[in-house]
Amino acid sequence: MGTNYYWRDRICTPCGRYDEIHVGKGGALFRGYRHVLLNTEHPDWGYSEHSPFDEPVLSRSDWLRILAGRPGELYDEYGKRIPNPIGWLAALTPPAPEQIRQQDADRAAERAASRWQFEPEAGTEWRDAEGFRFYAREFS
Ligand SMILES: [Zn+2]
């Protein structure tokens, strides 16, 4: 289905630990974060829609703006570092209209076939203005 990409944020120089933030799967599906956590005294990292940044992530242009100049590194799920994350993001090609129709048809069939799953909450799947798909939940 595609390779997952993760942003390593707040990398600690002495020990090498970092926060791992899911960016998405290849260029086919982005991870979106709809909400911004306002009460930082009571963080709720278990709630998957909270943005790990101080603003929501709703589009590729959001990802580009947030990651540009931010300390951190992009890795794929196999541990390979992406040397130029911004260039990589910027080079992704939005789906053509025919691809969008196919993706939507596949998604509708997938949902119809998996009745045991909960329906995704309204608004947790969307496309940005360029046509890139976003899910505001964990996926792999
Ligand atoms: Zn450390």
Side-chain angles (χ1 to χ4, degrees), residues 13-29:
T13 308
C15 73
R17 289 180 197 171
Y18 50 83
D19 292 340
E20 188 173 74
I21 298 166
H22 192 195
V23 173
K25 192 175 218 140
L29 182 59

Side-chain angles (χ1 to χ4, degrees), residues 1-6 22-29 75-80 82 88 139-140:
M1 277 285 292
T3 303
N4 282 288
Y5 291 84
Y6 299 89
H22 192 195
V23 173
K25 192 175 218 140
L29 182 59
Y75 281 78
D76 72 12
E77 65 181 272
Y78 307 107
K80 184 176 151 240
I82 310 306
W88 176 86
F139 60 88
S140 57

Side-chain angles (χ1 to χ4, degrees), residues 21-70:
I21 298 166
H22 192 195
V23 173
K25 192 175 218 140
L29 182 59
F30 279 102
R31 180 68 159 87
Y33 301 91
R34 296 195 302 174
H35 304 166
V36 173
L37 189 63
L38 298 176
N39 185 348
T40 52
E41 285 179 25
H42 299 283
D44 175 13
W45 297 110
Y47 184 48
S48 65
E49 292 199 48
H50 283 148
S51 177
F53 311 108
D54 55 9
E55 57 181 305
V57 187
L58 305 174
S59 63
R60 171 171 69 169
S61 60
D62 286 344
W63 273 118
L64 278 167
R65 189 184 63 257
I66 290 167
L67 297 188
R70 187 181 180 89

